[in-house]
Each structure stands twice: as structure tokens, then as C-alpha cells.
Amino acid sequence: MAWAKQLLLVAAGLPGFSLAQTPLEAAVSSDVRYLIGAAYRYSPEYFGARQYAGDIKPLWAVRWGRWRIATSGSSGLMGFGRETVDGGAGASRELFRNENFNLGFGLRVDSGRNSRDSESTQGLPDVKRTLRGRLFVGYTLAPSWQLGGSLSQDLAGRDGGLVWNADLRKQLFRSAGGELNLGLGVAGGNGRYMQSYFGVPEGPAAERLGRSYAPGSGLRDAGLGLSYTRSVSKHWVCFSSLGVGRLLGSAADSPLNQKPSSYSWSLGLAYRN
């Protein structure tokens, strides 16, 4: 979408954003912070897959002032116990933050989908690797309630489309070293995104799956998750999570949907300076 591209480019060009800075904002450290670790995740092969798979992925993140570069899930771990802003995977920059609100933008490489990776998606068009731009916001509703959302747009026009998500998080427990959170989220996409990941064009794949399918824009899925993060020491932090989800709307109607409900869990350990 052209407006999303223009908004991201404008945001990227603003060195300090136009909103008046608060003392909390101005206190952002210019020290270089880093994190390195690993996490094991067990989840479906793709949204709606019957088959599950587990893999170990590296965790790393670097932060300098308002800029961050991180793998998925690493940015929040680096800030645990110190701050609440999480720019997500890729390169991100915080534009504005005060006690209740934060706003930022990010760029990341989306690996897309290799259709040969799963037996169910073989014969479908691959989704090409692309560059995504992301705007994210967060708002503290109450001391233990946080609302967040983001828009992620394919900037290279490689059929990645637009994805959006919104989530509500409740802090169930917090101590000097640990935090237990419950989160509820919902996500969706525009027609291009839904067609790339849930569509089935005419051809051999459609014959194998029983029909062709052209989804429209709308909801993709909703999920409920429980996560626990703990500082083992000044430098070491560990985490675990358990989540359940369900496909919705045109994603649930896709012939690629073998099992609308799913679960996932993960464990990780990381070192931070």
C-alpha cells in the first residue's frame, strides 16, 4: 500500500520525531547493549498444518540509543526488567516514548515461504523473500494492562502484502527477578497477503487439495499465550512460553487448513551485558 510506504519513509527521515520529548524519553541510554542466546520452539509447520516440528534458533540483539537490530523474540529479552519497548525482529527505531505510550518503526527481511518445505504446500507458488516495513505502537491501559498493535507492509512488492495485529497483555505476576504474562492477540492481512499464504491457484496443487481457492482480506488467526521470563543473574535471562491459536475467516476456509486449532511452546536462555 502506497500510504504505508510513504509513512515509513517519512518516519525514517525524522531524527527525533515532532512530539515534545519528556524527561523519560530523553533518558534513553546511548550505551551499546547486546544479547546472545538460543531458543527451542515447537510449533506447526505453517498456519493450519497438521504436522509439528521443533527447531533451535539463535537469539541475538544489539541496541544503541533508540536503534535496535534483533532476531525474533530477542529485543524484549534484552529489555526485560529494564524497559518495556520491543521493536520486534529486524532493525527498529523508537520514535517516541513516555510513561504510557510508545511509537516506532522497523525494517526486516521476510523469508517468505518455500513451498517444498512441507508436503501440504508442494506445488504451490513460493512466496519470495522481501523487505518489510513495520509501524508499531503500545499503550499502557493500567499498571498491569498493555495494549499493542502493528502494521507490516511488503515494501518490495513481492506479493507479501500487508499484515496487521493487535494484542492485549495482562501482567499476572511480577517479582524482582521474574514476570508472568497472559496475552490475547488477533491478526489479519489484506487480499495479497492472504492469497500468497492461504490461496490455491488452479493447477496440480488444487487437484491434489480438492479445489482452488482465492481468499479475500480479513482475519487470519487469534491466539492466547502464557509466558514467563526470569533474570537468573545480572547478565543471564531465561524464558518459557505456551500458546494456543485458531485460524479465522478466509484463512480457516482455505484447503491448506488441515487443523484450525494449534498449540506451540518454547524455551530459551540468553546472556546480556
Side-chain angles (χ1 to χ4, degrees):
M1 297 176 67
W3 65 267
K5 296 181 184 178
Q6 293 171 0
L7 188 56
L8 283 165
L9 291 173
V10 170
L14 294 176
F17 203 51
S18 59
L19 296 175
Q21 293 187 341
T22 66
L24 181 62
E25 272 193 288
V28 175
S29 173
S30 60
D31 295 340
V32 176
R33 296 285 184 178
Y34 67 85
L35 174 143
I36 185 168
Y40 177 84
R41 179 176 172 82
Y42 186 77
S43 60
E45 290 183 341
Y46 63 87
F47 285 111
R50 184 182 295 111
Q51 296 294 324
Y52 283 70
D55 61 350
I56 298 177
K57 292 187 176 182
L59 295 174
W60 62 264
V62 178
R63 190 199 71 190
W64 180 35
R66 299 181 186 278
W67 287 97
R68 297 171 187 240
I69 303 177
T71 59
S72 179
S74 302
S75 185
L77 284 176
M78 183 170 58
F80 171 70
R82 300 169 178 169
E83 56 190 271
T84 58
V85 178
D86 183 358
S92 63
R93 188 182 194 278
E94 182 185 15
L95 298 174
F96 174 80
R97 172 163 61 99
N98 60 25
E99 293 181 351
N100 297 315
F101 178 78
N102 67 77
L103 170 69
F105 78 96
L107 296 171
R108 75 174 180 91
V109 176
D110 184 342
S111 297
R113 181 188 69 192
N114 186 334
S115 298
R116 295 185 297 276
D117 288 344
S118 173
E119 182 179 347
S120 301
T121 58
Q122 287 184 10
L124 293 175
D126 291 337
V127 183
K128 298 177 181 178
R129 183 185 298 267
T130 191
L131 178 67
R132 282 193 173 274
R134 179 172 177 260
L135 288 174
F136 58 91
V137 297
Y139 184 73
T140 300
L141 299 172
S144 60
W145 289 90
Q146 288 189 329
L147 181 66
S150 70
L151 289 172
S152 176
Q153 170 68 34
D154 172 10
L155 299 181
R158 310 191 98 185
D159 296 325
L162 173 73
V163 185
W164 60 265
N165 72 72
D167 58 84
L168 179 66
R169 188 178 72 168
K170 164 69 174 176
Q171 186 183 94
L172 301 178
F173 168 81
R174 182 174 178 87
S175 67
E179 182 177 292
L180 180 67
N181 290 299
L182 179 68
L184 174 65
V186 62
N190 66 358
R192 179 169 293 180
Y193 170 84
M194 299 297 285
Q195 177 61 36
S196 294
Y197 284 94
F198 298 97
V200 180
E202 296 282 357
E207 295 177 6
R208 175 173 56 83
L209 294 169
R211 59 189 171 99
S212 60
Y213 182 63
S217 61
L219 295 174
R220 184 190 69 190
D221 71 298
L224 182 68
L226 188 68
S227 64
Y228 180 70
T229 308
R230 182 169 185 81
S231 296
V232 181
S233 67
K234 178 181 178 181
H235 296 292
W236 289 94
V237 59
C238 64
F239 75 92
S240 61
S241 67
L242 175 66
V244 294
R246 186 174 181 85
L247 290 181
L248 302 172
S250 56
D253 294 335
S254 171
L256 289 170
N257 179 13
Q258 301 173 333
K259 189 177 181 181
S261 299
S262 64
Y263 71 92
S264 63
W265 60 270
S266 63
L267 295 169
L269 178 68
Y271 175 90
R272 57 185 185 173
N273 71 337

